[in-house]
Amino acid sequence: MRLRVPVRGPAALKVLAAAGAAAAPVQLVWGGPSEPPRAPLRPPWAPALELESGAVLFSANAICQFFFLCRGDEPTDLSTQWLEWEATELQPAATAALYARLVLGRRAPEAVQALREPLAHIEQSLARAGAAFLAGDAPSVADVVVWGTLFPILQEESSLPGELQALRTWFQNMTLSEACRDAADTVLMPQALLEFKSYLQKQPPPCLAMQRATSNEPEEEEGSERALTEDEIAAAADAWAHGAAALPKPWQPQKPVIAQDIFQRLLARGFLLQDTVEQLRCEGCQRFLADRFVEGTCPFCNYEEARGDQCDKCGKLINAVELKSPQCKLCRGVPVVKPTQHLFLDLPKLEQRLEAWLEQSWATGDWTANARYITRSWIRDGLKPRCITRDLKWGTPVPLDGFRDKVFYVWFDAPIGYLSITANYTSQWERWWKNPQQVELYNFMAKDNVPFHSVIFPCSLLGADDNYTLVNHLIATEYLNYEDGKFSKSRGVGVFGDMAKDTGIPADIWRFYLLYLRPEGQDSAFSWSDLMLKNNSELLNNLGNFINRAGMFVCKFFGGIVPSMALTPDDKRLLARVTLELRQYHQLLEKVRIRDALRCILSISRHGNQYIQVNEPWKRIKGDEKDRQRAGTVTGVAVNMASLLAVMLQPYMPSVSLAIQGQLCIPQDCFVLSHDFTCTLPPGHRVGTVSPLFQKLEIDRVEALRRRFGGGQPEDLAAEPQAKQTPAAPQPPPAPETLVAPTDPQQLQELTQEVARQGNHVRQLKASKAEKAQIEVEVAKLLELKKQLALAEGKSPQVPVPKGKQKK
């Protein structure tokens, strides 16, 4: 075997280390600096392994794995998962770190920031497993590959974060191993990186936001921002000038129709089987048990809370009868096995079609690492016929003689519901679902639902053979945990369903926080303290503060009319900066990086707060004509940024988005998102009543909620509190007002707007130092409106305690 390694490029390090660790008999050939790539589309620094058969391996990871295979080391599921993670998560972050170090000239500790979250992932994995190496107690190909990617950045002792002890120990052990040490000496680090620098300088800057792994930690500000080009600044100013005319027209839905039935097509094409199967039946409940009503020990990993269709721990699909020690979740009785006749989807007959489609989808689409791994591991075990019917009374009936008393298994007909929903929405549904040449299909889900969307549903569509659109991008999240443990409905740990409403925290705050910590790259955890921090810092002090100030300046300084704007070079630079964030927002949503896209919104509001703080319009409005003109420009640009944020917020916080639209009186035709930041609220536009969007979460309230949802509220108590709980002590008599059921939403909205308008009026009177008697009259009106609002919401109105000294 001949291993051709270019003199520059970090990939040489891991292939040489792998060759040494596996004692591979290779002939090393150094490529010249100007030598062209050995294959089309390959970067010039990629290595190549020429086999005796004439085949050539160009992937560095494939070469490393081949060396270990030659030694007799078969890959494990864990080592394969690490290689997948290294290729999709670690390599992009490492490239960004090298770019920051070599091209931008940042110090090593600063450059390592791009690797902060991948390093934390390695630290957590090593600590959790309690093993010395990534895939066990001995070094594997995974250790060599990950070390080879990290060494060019972490070779300086100061680069290793001191708090990551497990990572530090592992990295030092790998660096001191003979194979890795020899590879580093052979490649002549760091001289080789200086030659790699010339290659990186010719490449576009890495997109750090899209390649950053997710984390629960607050976002850190970058030390410097990418310089804006004159073309970008000019283009941003031009887009701004076009205003609302440049926005696309809002789309209107059409009338719905009904979809076709895929089951009949599968039956007609011979992809269904009939067989007698054994199924669990609860004699106490007198019925066959649906999978979700069965719980037991997983036959593969011995997890004791596996469901009747899948194990949440190892991810394997199972049949309920395979469970060890099964229990009926309804009565906790032990079910018995009974034979029954069912229909099966003949997956083995569809296996070749599925594998060919998967190779194409993986090559051209975006699949998360866990989605690929779960799909590969399931296929590697061999496809088997999958039962698609159940002995239940509820569900979609099976339209076939002999099976009309049965229904379809939910994971057969539920994904087909995607087509049915579209067909009931528009008569043009086939333009999406039978148009794979022009349509890209995104699926995103929790990782436990991957096999149903990557194997069973695609096989159903492939077998139907009607040019159906199959998934191109499958985005699977990891798990969301609760505080220091897991959600548990039976133990009353965590917030479920309508319990969130009972907390009194608005729905949009829940939406924001759950999307802010969405487990996109690794497990994340809900934390009450973090919820309070994000609400008070990101929403109240950042986003809400900026939008409220922008609108209030229009009302207070310009009589509610957006002033004229004379843009300076600094203003145009801000427009370009906001446009970059807006386009990044679009790109991240295309990649279903919902969490990172949300940070673009928060970044824009931070730019806005900084813009207002630097220009101080509240001071300039008191100055000469030039200063007043400057105050008007700053206010006009800021309120247009707030208008843009209202549209960007809509997928995340629809109620808040609607409130901003109402306060700023944003025209409906302008409530559309484009790729450019435009002036949608031109000079002369009148805004409405502006009021705060968010309220502070106090620590006492949060601690009370932590205690309430920290355990001890079992599912049956939460479901039937009056029937199960001990009667409480007698309550004091109600207030004189008669409490009523909450009013209809329209009336509530009108009262809310009246309270906001009156509150704004009171603040303006106080700011203008109006007479005390006049202020007291308007305050009394405000209190009465608040009282009416509380009654309309079905709450007991609280009489506010007057401020100042109390009589004793």
Short mmCIF file of all heavy atoms in Angstrom, two decimals, residues 612-642:
data_model
loop_
_atom_site.label_atom_id
_atom_site.label_comp_id
_atom_site.label_asym_id
_atom_site.label_seq_id
_atom_site.Cartn_x
_atom_site.Cartn_y
_atom_site.Cartn_z
N ILE A 612 -28.42 52.70 19.95
CA ILE A 612 -29.12 53.75 20.70
C ILE A 612 -28.21 54.33 21.78
O ILE A 612 -28.14 55.54 21.98
CB ILE A 612 -30.41 53.18 21.33
CG1 ILE A 612 -31.45 52.90 20.24
CG2 ILE A 612 -30.98 54.14 22.36
CD1 ILE A 612 -32.73 52.26 20.74
N GLN A 613 -27.48 53.45 22.48
CA GLN A 613 -26.65 53.90 23.58
C GLN A 613 -25.52 54.81 23.10
O GLN A 613 -25.20 55.81 23.74
CB GLN A 613 -26.06 52.67 24.30
CG GLN A 613 -25.87 52.84 25.79
CD GLN A 613 -27.13 53.22 26.54
OE1 GLN A 613 -28.23 52.80 26.18
NE2 GLN A 613 -26.98 54.03 27.57
N VAL A 614 -24.94 54.49 21.95
CA VAL A 614 -23.84 55.30 21.42
C VAL A 614 -24.33 56.66 20.94
O VAL A 614 -23.68 57.69 21.15
CB VAL A 614 -23.12 54.54 20.28
CG1 VAL A 614 -22.18 55.47 19.52
CG2 VAL A 614 -22.36 53.35 20.83
N ASN A 615 -25.52 56.68 20.31
CA ASN A 615 -26.00 57.92 19.69
C ASN A 615 -26.83 58.81 20.62
O ASN A 615 -27.04 59.99 20.31
CB ASN A 615 -26.81 57.58 18.43
CG ASN A 615 -25.94 57.13 17.29
OD1 ASN A 615 -25.35 57.95 16.59
ND2 ASN A 615 -25.83 55.82 17.09
N GLU A 616 -27.33 58.27 21.72
CA GLU A 616 -28.02 59.03 22.76
C GLU A 616 -29.08 59.99 22.19
O GLU A 616 -28.99 61.22 22.34
CB GLU A 616 -27.01 59.82 23.59
CG GLU A 616 -26.00 58.93 24.29
CD GLU A 616 -25.02 59.73 25.11
OE1 GLU A 616 -24.60 60.82 24.64
OE2 GLU A 616 -24.67 59.30 26.22
N PRO A 617 -30.12 59.48 21.55
CA PRO A 617 -31.13 60.38 20.98
C PRO A 617 -31.85 61.21 22.02
O PRO A 617 -32.35 62.30 21.72
CB PRO A 617 -32.08 59.42 20.25
CG PRO A 617 -31.86 58.10 20.88
CD PRO A 617 -30.43 58.07 21.28
N TRP A 618 -31.96 60.75 23.27
CA TRP A 618 -32.63 61.52 24.31
C TRP A 618 -31.85 62.80 24.66
O TRP A 618 -32.44 63.75 25.18
CB TRP A 618 -32.82 60.64 25.55
CG TRP A 618 -31.53 60.15 26.15
CD1 TRP A 618 -30.78 60.76 27.11
CD2 TRP A 618 -30.83 58.96 25.81
NE1 TRP A 618 -29.67 60.02 27.40
CE2 TRP A 618 -29.67 58.90 26.62
CE3 TRP A 618 -31.07 57.92 24.90
CZ2 TRP A 618 -28.76 57.86 26.54
CZ3 TRP A 618 -30.16 56.88 24.83
CH2 TRP A 618 -29.02 56.84 25.62
N LYS A 619 -30.56 62.83 24.37
CA LYS A 619 -29.79 64.04 24.57
C LYS A 619 -29.81 64.91 23.32
O LYS A 619 -29.96 66.14 23.39
CB LYS A 619 -28.35 63.70 24.93
CG LYS A 619 -28.16 63.08 26.30
CD LYS A 619 -26.69 62.86 26.60
CE LYS A 619 -26.50 62.25 28.00
NZ LYS A 619 -25.05 62.00 28.29
N ARG A 620 -29.66 64.24 22.16
CA ARG A 620 -29.59 65.00 20.91
C ARG A 620 -30.89 65.74 20.60
O ARG A 620 -30.89 66.78 19.95
CB ARG A 620 -29.22 64.07 19.75
CG ARG A 620 -27.80 63.52 19.84
CD ARG A 620 -27.50 62.63 18.65
NE ARG A 620 -26.16 62.07 18.71
CZ ARG A 620 -25.07 62.65 18.21
NH1 ARG A 620 -25.18 63.84 17.62
NH2 ARG A 620 -23.89 62.08 18.29
N ILE A 621 -32.02 65.20 21.06
CA ILE A 621 -33.30 65.84 20.75
C ILE A 621 -33.39 67.22 21.40
O ILE A 621 -34.18 68.08 20.99
CB ILE A 621 -34.48 64.94 21.22
CG1 ILE A 621 -35.78 65.39 20.57
CG2 ILE A 621 -34.58 64.94 22.73
CD1 ILE A 621 -35.83 65.21 19.09
N LYS A 622 -32.56 67.48 22.42
CA LYS A 622 -32.56 68.77 23.12
C LYS A 622 -31.54 69.74 22.52
O LYS A 622 -31.41 70.87 23.00
CB LYS A 622 -32.25 68.56 24.60
CG LYS A 622 -33.23 67.65 25.31
CD LYS A 622 -32.79 67.39 26.74
CE LYS A 622 -33.75 66.42 27.44
NZ LYS A 622 -33.30 66.11 28.83
N GLY A 623 -30.80 69.32 21.49
CA GLY A 623 -29.75 70.14 20.94
C GLY A 623 -30.21 70.99 19.78
O GLY A 623 -31.40 71.33 19.63
N ASP A 624 -29.24 71.35 18.90
CA ASP A 624 -29.55 72.19 17.75
C ASP A 624 -30.22 71.37 16.66
O ASP A 624 -30.50 70.18 16.84
CB ASP A 624 -28.28 72.88 17.23
CG ASP A 624 -27.20 71.87 16.88
OD1 ASP A 624 -27.52 70.67 16.67
OD2 ASP A 624 -26.02 72.26 16.80
N GLU A 625 -30.44 72.03 15.50
CA GLU A 625 -31.15 71.36 14.42
C GLU A 625 -30.42 70.11 13.95
O GLU A 625 -31.05 69.08 13.64
CB GLU A 625 -31.33 72.34 13.25
CG GLU A 625 -32.09 71.74 12.06
CD GLU A 625 -33.50 71.33 12.43
OE1 GLU A 625 -34.10 71.95 13.34
OE2 GLU A 625 -34.02 70.38 11.82
N LYS A 626 -29.10 70.18 13.89
CA LYS A 626 -28.31 69.02 13.45
C LYS A 626 -28.47 67.86 14.42
O LYS A 626 -28.63 66.70 14.01
CB LYS A 626 -26.85 69.42 13.33
CG LYS A 626 -25.95 68.31 12.84
CD LYS A 626 -24.50 68.77 12.71
CE LYS A 626 -23.60 67.64 12.23
NZ LYS A 626 -22.18 68.09 12.13
N ASP A 627 -28.43 68.16 15.72
CA ASP A 627 -28.60 67.10 16.72
C ASP A 627 -30.01 66.52 16.66
O ASP A 627 -30.20 65.30 16.79
CB ASP A 627 -28.33 67.65 18.12
CG ASP A 627 -26.85 67.67 18.46
OD1 ASP A 627 -26.08 66.98 17.76
OD2 ASP A 627 -26.46 68.38 19.40
N ARG A 628 -31.03 67.39 16.48
CA ARG A 628 -32.40 66.87 16.41
C ARG A 628 -32.59 65.99 15.18
O ARG A 628 -33.29 64.98 15.23
CB ARG A 628 -33.39 68.04 16.40
CG ARG A 628 -33.49 68.75 17.75
CD ARG A 628 -34.73 69.63 17.81
NE ARG A 628 -34.67 70.70 16.83
CZ ARG A 628 -34.09 71.87 17.04
NH1 ARG A 628 -33.50 72.12 18.20
NH2 ARG A 628 -34.11 72.81 16.10
N GLN A 629 -31.93 66.38 14.07
CA GLN A 629 -32.00 65.53 12.88
C GLN A 629 -31.34 64.18 13.13
O GLN A 629 -31.85 63.14 12.72
CB GLN A 629 -31.30 66.23 11.70
CG GLN A 629 -31.20 65.37 10.44
CD GLN A 629 -32.55 64.98 9.87
OE1 GLN A 629 -33.39 65.84 9.64
NE2 GLN A 629 -32.78 63.70 9.67
N ARG A 630 -30.24 64.21 13.86
CA ARG A 630 -29.56 62.95 14.19
C ARG A 630 -30.42 62.07 15.09
O ARG A 630 -30.51 60.85 14.90
CB ARG A 630 -28.22 63.24 14.88
CG ARG A 630 -27.38 62.00 15.17
CD ARG A 630 -27.03 61.28 13.90
NE ARG A 630 -26.42 59.97 14.15
CZ ARG A 630 -26.48 58.95 13.30
NH1 ARG A 630 -27.13 59.09 12.15
NH2 ARG A 630 -25.91 57.80 13.59
N ALA A 631 -31.09 62.72 16.05
CA ALA A 631 -31.99 61.96 16.92
C ALA A 631 -33.11 61.31 16.11
O ALA A 631 -33.52 60.17 16.37
CB ALA A 631 -32.57 62.87 18.00
N GLY A 632 -33.62 62.03 15.11
CA GLY A 632 -34.67 61.47 14.26
C GLY A 632 -34.18 60.29 13.44
O GLY A 632 -34.89 59.28 13.30
N THR A 633 -32.98 60.40 12.89
CA THR A 633 -32.43 59.28 12.10
C THR A 633 -32.25 58.04 12.96
O THR A 633 -32.64 56.93 12.57
CB THR A 633 -31.08 59.69 11.49
OG1 THR A 633 -31.27 60.79 10.61
CG2 THR A 633 -30.47 58.53 10.72
N VAL A 634 -31.66 58.22 14.14
CA VAL A 634 -31.43 57.07 15.03
C VAL A 634 -32.76 56.44 15.43
O VAL A 634 -32.92 55.21 15.43
CB VAL A 634 -30.63 57.51 16.27
CG1 VAL A 634 -30.55 56.37 17.29
CG2 VAL A 634 -29.23 57.96 15.87
N THR A 635 -33.75 57.28 15.76
CA THR A 635 -35.06 56.75 16.15
C THR A 635 -35.73 56.02 15.00
O THR A 635 -36.31 54.93 15.17
CB THR A 635 -35.95 57.90 16.64
OG1 THR A 635 -35.35 58.53 17.77
CG2 THR A 635 -37.33 57.39 17.01
N GLY A 636 -35.66 56.59 13.79
CA GLY A 636 -36.28 55.95 12.63
C GLY A 636 -35.65 54.61 12.28
O GLY A 636 -36.35 53.63 11.99
N VAL A 637 -34.31 54.56 12.31
CA VAL A 637 -33.63 53.29 12.02
C VAL A 637 -33.95 52.26 13.10
O VAL A 637 -34.23 51.09 12.82
CB VAL A 637 -32.11 53.52 11.92
CG1 VAL A 637 -31.38 52.18 11.85
CG2 VAL A 637 -31.77 54.36 10.69
N ALA A 638 -33.96 52.71 14.38
CA ALA A 638 -34.21 51.78 15.48
C ALA A 638 -35.62 51.19 15.41
O ALA A 638 -35.81 49.99 15.60
CB ALA A 638 -34.01 52.50 16.82
N VAL A 639 -36.63 52.02 15.12
CA VAL A 639 -37.99 51.50 15.08
C VAL A 639 -38.18 50.57 13.89
O VAL A 639 -38.99 49.63 13.93
CB VAL A 639 -39.02 52.65 15.08
CG1 VAL A 639 -39.16 53.29 13.71
CG2 VAL A 639 -40.38 52.17 15.58
N ASN A 640 -37.43 50.78 12.81
CA ASN A 640 -37.47 49.84 11.69
C ASN A 640 -36.78 48.52 12.04
O ASN A 640 -37.19 47.46 11.57
CB ASN A 640 -36.84 50.46 10.44
CG ASN A 640 -37.86 51.23 9.61
OD1 ASN A 640 -38.58 50.64 8.82
ND2 ASN A 640 -37.93 52.54 9.81
N MET A 641 -35.73 48.58 12.86
CA MET A 641 -35.13 47.34 13.36
C MET A 641 -36.13 46.58 14.22
O MET A 641 -36.23 45.35 14.15
CB MET A 641 -33.86 47.65 14.15
CG MET A 641 -32.70 48.14 13.31
SD MET A 641 -31.25 48.60 14.30
CE MET A 641 -30.77 47.01 14.97
N ALA A 642 -36.88 47.32 15.04
CA ALA A 642 -37.92 46.67 15.86
C ALA A 642 -38.98 46.03 14.98
O ALA A 642 -39.50 44.94 15.29
CB ALA A 642 -38.54 47.71 16.79
#
